[in-house]
Each structure stands twice: as structure tokens, then as C-alpha cells.
Amino acid sequence: MTFKLSLLKQQFSETPALLGTASLLFALIPISLAPSLTKLCQQEIGANAVVFHRSWIATVVFALWNGLEAFRYQQSDSQSIEQKPFTGQEVWLLLAMGTSAGTYLLLWAWSLSQTSVAKVALLSNLNSLFVALAGYLLFGRRFDHRFVIGLVIALGGAIAFELNKVQFANDQILGDALALLTAVFMATCMLLIERLRTRFSTATIMLWRCGVTTMFLLPVLPFLEDRLLPYSWTGWFFIIFQALFCQVLGQGLLAYSLSRISSGVVAVTLLLEPVLASIFAWFIFSEQVGLFDWATFAVVLAGIYLAQSSQSTVQITNEGS
């Protein structure tokens, strides 16, 4: 009997990590498809306009989601932790999270106009390194050897994958710096979401993230783009599909996974995103994917497996929705 109880307890403790890993791996599909969909949208409008439309459409969806959740709690006897008043610190954290998300999206779009796509993918995906460093230096988080080895292997594979496509030029220094700043703000956003997940649901966090990003982009968008609206129904279809599939589903699942597994492991797993994005581009645009690309893909997978199977995976939280 004691053995059965201990086995059940072990299985219960492993469930959050399994749910987080499953949601994260599924989130990689819409997140990795986003660059290809953005490229299709850019036939009619610019990248910043695409981001703006993604944000406001997702804001409407998450506002409706929050309204339905509030109505459900009113009709039931259960008490939601979010019914407590927001503290000033929590409001500032929510605003900082949304602002960092809007900032990294702007920097990402700006860097694409100043340097190559390959270098943007290479430098912006260093966010996993910044997440691990911030967790260690600022929050005193400790990672076991298995996670560190997995991080090094996955990061090395991702860098090798992108370096195979990079052409270095002195006139692209500004774009390189913007791409590196993109990684810093992406890491900041991820760490803030992880902290907020102990108090707020996925729908609330994504409502604030998308809402603040929309308000952040609204005043500057006319200065960044000549055309703000697509001129065909096909253009609107790709924007709406991207908002629902990539922003609501993909980013929503990513936020959910941060309540189950640590931000360090999430960031390492996201190193798979540029590889999957290239595979999707291969299918959609017939972009070349060579033997070296497939080899680095296997290296990244091996590193992610080590990180995912380490003791640094589980994220303890008080809220699980």
C-alpha cells in the first residue's frame, strides 16, 4: 500500500511538467508558422501593421474569454484568485509585460529592415541565454548539470543552423544590435509571464499582453507603415488566421506552459522555433533546406531533450488555469 501511494504521488508531481511540455511542443507549431504567414501578409502591408492587427484581434478574443470566465465564476460557488483586487505591483508587472512584448515586436520588425533574416533569427533566439542568466543572477535560480549541458547543446545547434545562412557585413551593425535587444526584451517578457502565472490565468495575462501591445503600437504605427490595411479578402484572411492560430493559440499555450515548467526550459525548447520555421518555409515557399540543416535540427532536439528531462523543469505555481 505504501508503495502504491508513493507511486501515485510521483505520478501526480510529474503531471504538471508533462502538461506544460505537451502545451509548449504544440505551441511550437503555430509560433513557427508565424514567419511564413507574416511573409504572406507582407504582400499587402508591412510587418508592424501585421503585428498590430494580430494584437488587437487577439485582445478582442481574450476579452471575450475573460468575460466568459467571470460569468462562469458568478454562476458557480467557486472562488477565483483573480477576484481579489489587483495590487499596484501587479498592475505594474502586467504593464511591464505588455510593454516588453510590444517593444520586442517593434525591435524585431525594425531589425529585419536593417540586417538579414538569418542574423535576426540567430541573435533574437539568444533569449534562452538571457533567461537562464537572469534566473541565476536576479532570482537565485539554480540549474542542474543536465539542464546546463542541454542548454549548451541546443544553443550550439541553433547557432550553427543560423550561421550556415548568415552573411556578415559592416553596414548591418545597427540591425544586429536591434536583433540582440529583441532577445533581451523577449527574455524579459517571458520572465514576467512566469512570475505573473502564480496569480493570473492564461486569458488574463494574454489580454494584458495583447491589449498593452496594441496601445503601444497604435500611436507609432502611422509613422512606421505607409499602408495599414490589407486591400483584399485574402490579405484579411491571413491576418485573422495568424491572429487566431499564432497569437491566441500559439502564444496562449506558451503562456500556459510557463505555469507548469520553468522559463529556462521553455526558452531552450523555443530554440527549435527557427528550425521548424525553415521547414515550414520549405513546404510553403520551396526554400532550400540542406543536409547540414537537418543535422543541426537533430542536435537541437538532443539538447532540448536533456533540458526537458532535467530536474530544473517543473515550475511550482498556485494557479493552473
Side-chain angles (χ1 to χ4, degrees):
M1 180 65 69
T2 304
F3 174 75
K4 290 182 178 180
L5 287 175
S6 62
L7 183 60
L8 287 173
K9 187 180 293 185
Q10 180 183 0
Q11 291 175 343
F12 180 77
S13 65
E14 290 175 351
T15 299
L18 291 174
L19 288 173
T21 300
S23 63
L24 177 59
L25 292 177
F26 192 81
L28 277 169
I29 298 173
I31 291 174
S32 302
L33 192 58
S36 295
L37 291 174
T38 301
K39 189 173 181 179
L40 289 172
C41 294
Q42 284 182 291
Q43 296 176 2
E44 299 188 14
I45 56 176
N48 290 295
V50 174
V51 170
F52 172 75
H53 289 301
R54 271 180 53 175
S55 297
W56 77 256
I57 293 172
T59 300
V60 173
V61 173
F62 285 115
L64 292 173
W65 185 350
N66 272 275
L68 289 174
E69 282 193 345
F71 178 77
R72 180 168 60 87
Y73 280 118
Q74 287 180 354
Q75 300 300 313
S76 65
D77 296 329
S78 60
Q79 180 75 15
S80 171
I81 189 174
E82 292 191 24
Q83 290 178 337
K84 300 177 182 178
F86 290 11
T87 65
Q89 183 184 27
E90 289 168 347
V91 172
W92 279 111
L93 286 174
L94 287 165
L95 289 173
M97 179 264 299
T99 303
S100 62
T103 302
Y104 89 67
L105 289 170
L106 272 179
L107 290 172
W108 175 77
W110 189 8
S111 64
L112 283 173
S113 66
Q114 300 295 321
T115 189
S116 66
V117 174
K119 280 205 280 187
V120 172
L122 170 64
L123 294 171
S124 64
N125 273 284
L126 292 178
N127 67 83
S128 59
L129 186 60
F130 292 122
V131 167
L133 286 174
Y136 178 79
L137 297 175
L138 300 179
F139 306 114
R141 184 170 297 159
R142 296 295 180 264
F143 303 102
D144 59 20
H145 295 301
R146 193 179 184 91
F147 172 83
V148 174
I149 293 172
L151 170 62
V152 172
I153 292 175
L155 192 59
I159 290 174
F161 176 83
E162 296 299 342
L163 280 177
N164 190 41
K165 300 173 172 54
V166 168
Q167 294 180 349
F168 294 95
N170 293 329
D171 60 348
Q172 296 179 348
I173 294 177
L174 174 60
D176 298 344
L178 292 171
L180 192 61
L181 277 176
T182 300
V184 174
F185 280 97
M186 287 176 69
T188 302
C189 182
M190 198 175 301
L191 288 166
L192 288 170
I193 291 176
E194 181 184 36
R195 183 169 180 180
L196 289 163
R197 285 298 282 122
T198 61
R199 167 74 158 88
F200 300 105
S201 68
T202 299
T204 299
I205 288 177
M206 291 304 297
L207 174 61
W208 278 78
R209 173 180 172 170
C210 298
V212 173
T213 299
T214 301
M215 299 306 296
F216 185 81
L217 292 173
L218 185 60
V220 299
L221 192 61
F223 301 99
L224 299 175
E225 301 290 352
D226 295 328
R227 186 176 183 86
L228 304 181
L229 300 174
Y231 52 80
S232 71
W233 287 110
T234 303
W236 275 113
F237 169 79
F238 282 120
I239 285 176
I240 295 172
F241 178 75
Q242 187 176 176
L244 298 178
F245 188 61
C246 301
Q247 191 73 17
V248 175
L249 181 62
Q251 294 296 331
L253 285 173
L254 176 62
Y256 173 81
S257 70
L258 284 165
S259 70
R260 305 292 183 174
I261 52 181
S262 69
S263 57
V265 176
V266 171
V268 172
T269 307
L270 287 176
L271 288 170
L272 199 58
E273 185 268 328
V275 182
L276 291 177
S278 295
I279 293 175
F280 283 128
W282 176 40
F283 281 110
I284 297 173
F285 301 110
S286 299
E287 294 185 4
Q288 186 176 0
V289 178
L291 181 61
F292 182 81
D293 298 323
W294 291 109
T296 54
F297 180 32
V299 172
V300 174
L301 280 177
I304 290 172
Y305 170 77
L306 287 173
Q308 285 277 2
S309 60
S310 71
Q311 295 298 316
S312 306
T313 301
V314 178
Q315 168 68 25
I316 300 173
T317 182
N318 297 323
E319 192 276 321
S321 61

